[in-house]
């Protein structure tokens, strides 16, 4: 999964060196991987777990780099936010099952048990019309 904590960066140049944690690699829509990267790398860090917000500068940089090598077809642009929600839901469910169902409660820190809530809040953020409009504008700018 292309989340920020699964990316190695060259310390001198800042260039992407590698992706790690390839346990879930599979064949599927390219849009799934791109939106998974967006939901895993482009949300702002915040002390307030309820303040989930997509960092439009990071999001724009991701799209600019991606669309330099592969244009996003109109179909993918139109379904981008739905795929963001899908990838969030998949990861949200994975975290819930991994840390609340498959593991013994006393062996898992509370932070891990509740980590699915961060992704749930991101799904809720994507229902905000203002957020949808900003995402749409960034998509139009970098993926015309």
């Amino acid at each position: 999964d292309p989340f920020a904590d699964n990316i190695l960066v060259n310390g001198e140049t800042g260039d992407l060196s590698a992706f790690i944690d390839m346990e879930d690699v599979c064949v599927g829509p390219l849009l799934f991987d791109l939106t998974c990267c967006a939901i895993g790398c482009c949300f702002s860090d915040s002390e307030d777990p309820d303040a989930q917000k997509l960092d439009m500068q990071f999001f724009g940089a991701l799209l600019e780099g991606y669309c330099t090598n592969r244009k996003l077809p109109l179909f993918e642009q139109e379904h981008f936010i739905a795929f963001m929600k899908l990838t969030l839901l998949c990861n949200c469910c994975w975290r819930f099952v991994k840390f609340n169902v498959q593991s013994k409660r006393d062996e898992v820190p509370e932070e891990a048990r509740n980590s699915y809530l961060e992704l749930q809040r991101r799904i809720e953020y994507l229902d905000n019309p203002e957020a949808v409009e900003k995402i749409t504008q960034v998509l139009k700018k970098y993926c015309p």
Side-chain angles (χ1 to χ4, degrees):
D1 50 88
F3 275 59
D5 56 351
N6 292 331
I7 298 173
L8 299 179
V9 177
N10 182 310
E12 294 177 17
T13 66
D15 292 341
L16 173 74
S17 295
F19 283 102
I20 59 173
D21 189 10
M22 304 296 278
E23 70 186 63
D24 294 326
V25 172
C26 61
V27 176
L30 294 174
L31 186 57
F32 188 90
D33 291 326
L34 178 59
T35 56
C36 190
C37 189
I39 62 110
C41 297
C42 298
F43 272 82
S44 300
D45 288 330
S46 174
E47 295 296 319
D48 180 3
D50 291 328
Q52 293 298 316
K53 186 175 180 183
L54 193 65
D55 184 312
M56 294 302 162
Q57 185 175 355
F58 288 169
F59 182 55
L62 172 66
L63 290 177
E64 182 177 28
Y66 186 88
C67 291
T68 298
N69 294 299
R70 178 184 178 270
K71 298 295 180 202
L72 272 183
L74 183 58
F75 176 83
E76 291 182 357
Q77 292 178 44
E78 292 170 346
H79 292 87
F80 200 93
I81 295 171
F83 265 75
M84 288 178 78
K85 291 178 183 180
L86 174 65
T87 59
L88 280 164
L89 184 58
C90 290
N91 283 281
C92 185
C93 290
W94 184 90
R95 286 183 183 185
F96 183 82
V97 170
K98 175 74 175 169
F99 300 125
N100 291 281
V101 176
Q102 293 177 339
S103 302
K104 293 181 181 176
R105 187 167 181 82
D106 60 341
E107 294 176 1
V108 178
E110 184 177 355
E111 182 179 357
R113 285 195 315 269
N114 293 331
S115 64
Y116 73 96
L117 294 170
E118 172 188 30
L119 303 182
Q120 176 186 328
R121 289 183 189 101
R122 291 180 184 183
I123 295 169
E124 293 165 356
Y125 166 82
L126 291 173
D127 283 333
N128 179 320
E130 291 177 25
V132 169
E133 179 59 31
K134 288 179 183 178
I135 292 167
T136 302
Q137 289 174 358
V138 174
L139 278 165
K140 287 180 181 177
K141 179 177 180 180
Y142 293 105
C143 305

